[in-house]
Amino acid sequence: MNGANAVRVMLGAIWPSFLTLKNGIPASQGIDTATMISFFLFWLGSVPFLVMHPNELRWLFMAKSVVVPVAWVAILIWAFVGTDGGGDMWNQKAKLEGSAYSWAFLSSLTSVIGNYATLSVNQSDFSRYSRVSVKWQLIYVPFLPIVFTFISFIGVAATSAGAVKYGTLDWDPMALIAHWPSRAARFFAAFSFALAALGVNISANSLSAANDLTALFPQYINIRRGQLLCAVLCWALVPWKILASAGTFLNFMSAYAIFLGPIAAIMVVDFWVVHRGKYDTLALYQYHGIYRYTKGWNWRAIAAFLVGVAPNMPGFINSINTNIHVGVGDRPYKFGWLLGFFATAGVYALLEMVVAPPRETFIEKAVLPDEVYDANGGGFVDEGVSLGSGEEVAGEKVGWKERMSKIL
């Protein structure tokens, strides 16, 4: 939806009459006709990138890594120069005290962690295509918090400057940019946000969903099909309602985090603590391999996940429907990711290492992907389809289903 809002500002900068387009959508839907058109155009423009292999998108992310930082630093400069120091943000004081301040801080922290929570469980979906050594990838550990904090500061500074110049507190960057008198400035600033949204949609959303779908239905879905399916299903999620207000967005991020915390805990504990980095890569893809557990289910992981999520459910329910009062039951929800992560981590480690250790999964030496590749004489499989020369056998008839399978 961020991309749609950016496209709306871009179109409004080119054709100002687009912003005054007659609205034919009921106000209860949380979106107007102009924004719906923008959403469709951004969605349509994203589809070609979804049918490309991630390795072919390197140029897109190189462009994003240059254009977006330059544009956003320019916005920060505008905020400081245009208001002689960024407005009144330096003079703001907390309006809450005591325990109310502490709980508000924890709630905000959980919302912020919601951004990291996504990366913590699905960054490997994209980083596995990287040509950079794993050692160099460790730079993300200190670098990501610095980048996230700096970007957040740009948002605060720009919003504060907008309040001074335009009299409104616009936390939505597109609402702020819409005030700018220069149509060219509005277009290029919005373009940087659209480019950023496109990159995030591919790397953190559609590609991750596609990987999950290929794991669930490997016979029917590959990466490309999974991304296209994700693109279709996004309409059913009505994302414009999520961004209807700042409160709604923060509730969404908090709710998102309470489920991802336990998942991240299981992944971390299983790899680093239980198996100490020793996985049999080939066995991971064997239907009756050592990682089948109990008829394909690891009940220890399910039990640990439920333990991590359960304390947060009263607060989660209250965030969805404020008419349902849960008393102090909403307190755990305010630090839901941290609670879910550590509770799940402790329970999972206990079940896996003490109560009912799955000894068949403990191996002496890790079987790495490169070893599997070499053992097969250099042959490999890409997205579940063996790669050959790409040439059809002479005289062999290929039907429309086979041709569509090659395309998708």
Side-chain angles (χ1 to χ4, degrees):
M1 196 60 203
N2 289 324
N5 290 333
V7 170
R8 186 178 189 274
V9 174
M10 291 168 62
L11 293 176
I14 301 174
W15 300 288
S17 60
F18 177 77
L19 300 176
T20 58
L21 194 66
K22 183 179 179 180
N23 180 35
I25 301 176
S28 60
Q29 298 304 311
I31 191 172
D32 56 29
T33 300
T35 307
M36 180 63 78
I37 293 174
S38 302
F39 181 82
F40 174 75
L41 292 176
F42 181 78
W43 176 86
L44 190 64
S46 301
V47 171
F49 296 97
L50 302 183
V51 299
M52 299 172 65
H53 192 278
N55 282 333
E56 299 173 350
L57 296 174
R58 190 177 301 273
W59 61 271
L60 174 66
F61 288 93
M62 287 294 292
K64 173 177 173 286
S65 65
V66 174
V67 173
V68 174
V70 170
W72 291 5
V73 169
I75 293 175
L76 178 63
I77 295 173
W78 166 84
F80 277 97
V81 174
T83 58
D84 193 23
D88 297 331
M89 66 177 179
W90 308 109
N91 302 320
Q92 296 295 318
K93 296 181 179 180
K95 297 181 180 180
L96 298 176
E97 298 179 352
S99 62
Y101 176 86
S102 300
W103 287 114
F105 176 84
L106 287 173
S107 179
S108 300
L109 178 63
T110 300
S111 297
V112 172
I113 290 178
N115 285 321
Y116 293 97
T118 305
L119 294 174
S120 67
V121 299
N122 66 17
Q123 64 178 350
S124 58
D125 292 333
F126 202 78
S127 63
R128 70 190 183 101
Y129 298 104
S130 175
R131 299 174 184 173
V132 180
S133 170
V134 175
K135 294 180 180 179
W136 283 103
Q137 293 182 23
L138 292 176
I139 196 175
Y140 296 151
V141 176
F143 196 62
L144 276 177
I146 295 174
V147 171
F148 271 74
T149 302
F150 180 63
I151 292 175
S152 299
F153 175 74
I154 293 176
V156 172
T159 301
S160 177
V164 174
K165 293 180 69 68
Y166 309 117
T168 58
L169 201 63
D170 294 317
W171 288 103
D172 181 357
M174 293 302 100
L176 175 64
I177 292 173
H179 290 294
W180 293 359
S182 172
R183 292 166 61 181
R186 294 203 306 269
F187 177 87
F188 287 111
F191 174 77
S192 72
F193 280 90
L195 183 60
L198 177 62
V200 170
N201 281 351
I202 294 173
S203 60
N205 295 332
S206 63
L207 187 60
S208 300
N211 274 284
D212 293 338
L213 290 171
T214 56
L216 289 172
F217 311 105
Q219 288 182 305
Y220 308 102
I221 297 180
N222 56 21
I223 295 296
R224 187 177 291 110
R225 294 172 186 172
Q227 291 195 98
L228 292 175
L229 180 59
C230 178
V232 173
L233 293 178
C234 78
W235 287 89
L237 299 178
V238 288
W240 46 86
K241 288 187 176 291
I242 297 175
L243 294 179
S245 67
T248 303
F249 178 71
L250 291 176
N251 284 335
F252 171 77
M253 294 305 298
S254 297
Y256 194 50
I258 68 170
F259 296 103
L260 294 182
I263 294 175
I266 293 171
M267 294 170 64
V268 170
V269 173
D270 191 80
F271 184 80
W272 293 107
V273 179
V274 177
H275 292 97
R276 301 183 184 278
K278 298 176 182 178
Y279 281 167
D280 185 337
T281 304
L282 184 60
L284 288 171
Y285 297 92
Q286 293 174 342
Y287 187 76
H288 293 286
I290 60 176
Y291 300 109
R292 182 171 172 78
Y293 293 99
T294 305
K295 297 182 179 180
W297 297 88
N298 184 355
W299 62 267
R300 306 162 192 81
I302 297 174
F305 176 82
L306 294 176
V307 169
V309 171
N312 296 309
M313 291 310 296
F316 174 66
I317 294 172
N318 177 257
S319 70
I320 296 175
N321 187 351
T322 55
N323 294 323
I324 301 177
H325 300 286
V326 295
V328 296
D330 67 336
R331 296 291 176 84
Y333 178 72
K334 294 183 183 298
F335 58 102
W337 190 92
L338 295 172
L339 176 62
F341 182 91
F342 288 105
T344 298
V347 173
Y348 186 71
L350 182 66
L351 293 175
E352 285 274 333
M353 303 179 71
V354 179
V355 177
R359 303 188 186 282
E360 69 277 6
T361 66
F362 299 152
I363 57 179
E364 293 294 329
K365 181 179 180 296
V367 179
L368 303 177
D370 289 342
E371 296 175 2
V372 176
Y373 178 85
D374 294 337
N376 285 277
F380 62 96
V381 174
D382 182 40
E383 315 302 0
V385 180
S386 298
L387 298 181
S389 63
E391 299 178 358
E392 297 179 5
V393 179
E396 181 181 352
K397 294 184 178 180
V398 180
W400 67 271
K401 289 185 178 180
E402 288 77 10
R403 294 185 184 277
M404 287 300 297
S405 180
K406 288 186 176 182
I407 296 174
L408 298 177

